Amino acid sequence: MKVVRFLLSLTVLAAGTLGAQQSSRTEPVTALRANATGYHALVGARVVTAPGQVLDNATIVIRNGVVTAVGTAVSPPAGARVWELKGLTVYSGFIDAHADLGGDAPPQGGDVGPTHWNPQVRAWFSTTSNLKDDSTRRIALRSLGFGTALAVPRQGIFRGTASVVSLGDAGVRERVLRPDLTQTIGFQRSFTLGGMYPNSTMGTLALMKQTFLDAEWYIRAWGAYEASGRSILPPETSEALAALGKAVQGKQPVLFQTGSEEEYLRAYKLATEYKLTPWFRGSGQEYRLVDVLKGRTQPLIIPLAFPDAPNVSNPEAALNVTLGDLRHWYLAPTNPAQLASAGIPFAITADGLSSLNQFLPNLRVAVARGLAPDKALAALTTVPAGWLGIERTHGTIAVGKAANLVVAEGDLFTEDGTIRDVWVQGAHYGVTRPPQVDPRGTWTISSDDPGTFKSATLRLEGPLNRIRGTFEAPSRRPINITSARIIAETGRLEATFNGEPLGLEGSVLLTGSVQGNEFFGWMSLPNGTDANYRGTRTEPFEGPARGVVAMKVPKIDLPFIRPSMEFGRSAPPVQPAAVLVRNATVWTQGPQGRLENADLLVQAGKVVRVGQKLSAPQGAVVIDATGKHVTPGLIDPHTHGGVSSVNETGFAIVPEVQMGDVITHNNIWFYRQLAGGLTTTMIKHGSANPIGGENVYVKLRWGSLPDDYKIVGAPRTVKFALGENPKRSPTRYPKTRMGTQEIIRDHFLAARDYEKEWKRWEKEKTGIPPRRDLRMEAILDILNQKLLISSHGYRADEFLALVRLAEEFGFKVQTLQHGVEAYKIASELKASGVAAVVWSDWGAFKLEAYDATSYNARLLMEAGVVTSLHSDDNEISTRMNWEAGKLLRSGVDEIQAMSTVTNQSAKAIAIDNRVGSLEAGKDADFVIWNGNPLSQFTKAEQTWVDGRRYFSIEEDKALREEITRQRAQLIQAVLAAAPADAPAGGAPARGRGSEGK
């Protein structure tokens, strides 16, 4: 009777299951229906239902892919397949919020249809419509415990929509959980897609801005077309712009894939400017931005790509390792813990690893380095479930939720843990076969074969996947087992150990089978003989469940510094309420000239007064500068350092790109320039374009974030280039000097047409509204003198042609840069009001520079031209006082020479209202020198910016000592973390992850 009832229950269950199966599927059954019940009971496990919530000896009941019961008092229901999981732990299935499942490769010949003019813009691509993922990748992720993932496309800059999918093996129609959830954007173009523009970081950002504007315009344009009753011609059709509609309206998240801390800052700024709903796939460098991230709640998905240990295996190799590399090696594994400690929400992804096999080891490294296991589990389950909008069905083990489970042997967040099985929506997937034997414990083994031992003790311990132990013969010291493993297929143990302590030259291989407390097998000896043995277990293994945590390194208290490299600062220097520099030779570079035995008074970051015997306000910082010289901070109006890229060569005309978008604070040259007395510089676009990008003025506020380097309120300038450089691109117009002139003229005319069209629209409001064009707007700003021209050029004739072109369109050129032939047209420059920014003595390094002369600056100054020196070189910019000193050989006096790197330089680039001289009301940028600043033997002892001391020789000495201390500590940590069998310091840590002149 019991058998009959059981069979009836199975029939009813099967009918219910099959009925539900058929009613929720559109595909007809072509043969016999599947008869699997989908009814399971997982019994006796330690169940982690949610982070911090654990049930011991619990049962989970699964039916039709859903958890129907979970608890300690739950009994396996009749008809369910029972899985005995005693001694195992069950976690909720992991969720990868940024997974590369493939399937987004462009078709042969490229994408077709009305997509986008730029092949890097594939916003139309849908991971739902194109869900043909790589089963190998899916299986690999599943073997790590992931049952769900956000499938993210990887081709292009605008990469398309990401969809939430199940990682089971069901058909694609059944695996999509949330279609096209987010738009995705990356900062790296895909070369397989082709296209010339953009090919730089600032070009990429310009394309992003323009595309967001175009998507907004596309909505308006098609709205106007429909509102007209379709009585006008429609705007262009663009699948990419249409796909971005919800994103630019804030109705669909935009997931930025960032590769550095600076890319995160750029993405956040872009999202704020265009009112997007941003998500961020991080870089693993977020620990450098904890102060910035604190309080932000936008989804942040971080990889566990930890760097290899730097090679410090010998002194020569160690010398080549930077402090920045050493710090990142040590701090990157603490990235998750630091975010958690700061209360910054994050999810963890397996993306970004060179091999997925590194994921679980690196996860354990993160836990070993301070991440609480509950936080780690939350970052893999509940946090991504909430962000992906599937928290009602995923993320925890609860009644009514999908049966996504990870079955593990041991604690998954220690080295002991092993994933046994993964369940995805009730479907079971084996990851590792359970061992057929458990040989751990203490054994007494004996052999009757001659030439061996009569008895010995074998101790085996540790987790089953990492068995270790010793072999000890009578009157001999214990021998460590060098390797041991259980062969699940045969149920046997294999172990090796060194035979030398037994008088055997070589390794001994021991293999055997376990039956209860009996052990028998044979040993292969180095002398070629085999010895049979038998053994009896005398003591069971009762070691701790938790094993040794990964990546043991010495505890080092590394201070937070920005940038995280040599000479980084823990905080910005303080700005004293008042500073009085006493009894110096003060080069005011203003109406007061050079004053002997004079004082400089600074308050609240501004110059208040220069004179003799000034009174110090109460609480002022007083500096005795007797015998020293004080000058304004030096200015270099032409550098290319401190940015992520210099040239955007994809188009000839690119004024829409902005160097201010790509400032990088991880740039040691800023500190070196400060050490040379430089306080202000203009970072310029390169010379590859007739009209290049917008330049940026920076003050060398070392230790700041990128945007904090910018001079707020400074005039805007744009880089032009004449001569050889802009015409030498092999695949782009122009290819001649006359072509350069003509393409500039043509874009000026196009900008005026653009202006007319907008004026017509503002007046009539009829037809399709014009779109904002960042390139045309920048050129209009040039024509209207809101964007000042700073032009690269060598030959006098070419520059005169540009001046004539400017006169044709009614504006003037601000500066001629380089100008090795500027002396030939000095009177014309004076008449046109053009400043000259030149080298002190460079020339003859290429044909168009052959007519250079070291008297160039003197001749220009004598003609009344505003004249400045520049470096165009990172290293030269660290000694601009030397460049000025060189002019003394041409007969220029000291004040004039100093003016070329101070007041005249500031005037040349139109910031002389703020810097360049020590006059009341100007910024307190000044340098204290130990002698005449025009001497090559003189050093800058202190460099002040905005009344803050950013460099001093004394502080530099202390920083060097700190660098030495940190390097020594970190090198010792690398050596201590190296595996015992690796060369000292040479073994990797566990896991990975200019302008032409």
Side-chain angles (χ1 to χ4, degrees), residues 89 173 186 198 237 247 265 284 324 378 483 570 636 663 689 719 836 854 968 978:
T89 300
R173 290 186 301 277
T237 297
L265 294 171
S483 68
S570 58
D636 188 343
I663 298 173
N689 308 73
K719 177 72 176 289
S854 58

Side-chain angles (χ1 to χ4, degrees), residues 156 437 537 797 849:
V437 295
R537 183 160 21 204
D797 57 341

Side-chain angles (χ1 to χ4, degrees), residues 67-80:
V67 174
T68 58
V70 57
T72 55
V74 175
S75 298

Side-chain angles (χ1 to χ4, degrees), residues 825-843:
I825 53 171
S827 59
E828 289 85 354
L829 295 176
K830 170 64 176 174
S832 300
V834 179
V837 178
V838 299
W839 284 299
S840 61
D841 56 1
W842 277 31

Side-chain angles (χ1 to χ4, degrees), residues 706-726:
D707 277 354
D708 296 329
Y709 278 85
K710 297 179 184 178
I711 300 179
V712 177
R716 297 168 57 213
T717 71
V718 64
K719 177 72 176 289
F720 276 42
L722 309 173
E724 175 189 322
N725 289 22

Side-chain angles (χ1 to χ4, degrees), residues 887-962:
L887 299 182
L888 301 179
R889 296 177 302 180
S890 67
V892 173
D893 67 41
E894 288 189 337
I895 299 299
Q896 283 182 307
M898 180 57 68
S899 74
T900 61
V901 292
T902 54
N903 54 310
Q904 289 290 289
S905 186
K907 189 172 182 180
I909 57 176
I911 56 173
D912 52 313
N913 63 321
R914 292 188 56 177
V915 297
S917 61
L918 298 177
E919 299 179 72
K922 289 195 176 182
D923 296 352
D925 299 353
F926 62 94
V927 187
I928 302 175
W929 307 84
N930 67 350
N932 189 310
L934 298 178
S935 168
Q936 62 180 314
F937 300 105
T938 295
K939 295 180 180 179
E941 291 190 340
Q942 297 184 32
T943 304
W944 292 68
V945 181
D946 299 325
R948 300 174 188 266
R949 193 183 69 181
Y950 277 90
F951 171 82
S952 77
I953 285 182
E954 291 79 8
E955 184 183 33
D956 181 83
K957 181 181 178 181
L959 287 173
R960 290 174 186 273
E961 292 173 353
E962 175 65 14

Side-chain angles (χ1 to χ4, degrees), residues 395-478:
T396 61
I397 303 173
V399 173
K401 290 199 170 185
N404 282 23
L405 309 170
V406 181
V407 180
E409 177 189 349
D411 186 339
L412 202 53
F413 298 100
T414 73
E415 286 186 308
D416 288 355
T418 300
I419 295 179
R420 176 80 65 81
D421 305 300
V422 172
W423 294 72
V424 180
Q425 292 182 201
H428 170 261
Y429 299 95
V431 176
T432 58
R433 290 187 60 180
Q436 303 301 307
V437 295
D438 184 352
R440 294 175 297 178
T442 301
W443 300 83
T444 298
I445 62 175
S446 59
S447 175
D448 295 329
D449 289 342
T452 62
F453 50 86
K454 293 297 181 182
S455 66
T457 300
L458 176 67
R459 291 186 176 87
L460 298 173
E461 57 188 7
L464 287 171
N465 65 319
R466 292 175 61 87
I467 285 183
R468 55 187 178 270
T470 60
F471 182 91
E472 183 178 358
S475 302
R476 307 271 186 167
R477 62 180 175 83

Side-chain angles (χ1 to χ4, degrees), residues 634-639 641-643 658-663 670 673 678-685 693-701 705-719 785-790 814-815 817 835 837 868 902 904-916 923 925 945-946:
L634 306 188
I635 300 169
D636 188 343
H638 189 129
T639 67
V643 285
Q658 297 178 316
M659 303 308 293
D661 285 342
V662 293
I663 298 173
F670 284 155
Q673 289 162 354
L678 197 72
T679 58
T680 302
T681 180
M682 183 195 289
I683 303 176
K684 304 178 73 66
H685 188 275
E694 185 171 333
N695 310 311
V696 62
Y697 295 82
V698 302
K699 284 201 180 185
L700 302 182
R701 301 176 179 119
L705 290 170
D707 277 354
D708 296 329
Y709 278 85
K710 297 179 184 178
I711 300 179
V712 177
R716 297 168 57 213
T717 71
V718 64
K719 177 72 176 289
Q785 296 229 231
K786 297 178 181 178
L787 189 54
L788 307 178
I789 292 177
S790 177
Q814 177 69 21
T815 65
Q817 302 271 333
V837 178
S868 168
T902 54
Q904 289 290 289
S905 186
K907 189 172 182 180
I909 57 176
I911 56 173
D912 52 313
N913 63 321
R914 292 188 56 177
V915 297
D923 296 352
D925 299 353
V945 181
D946 299 325

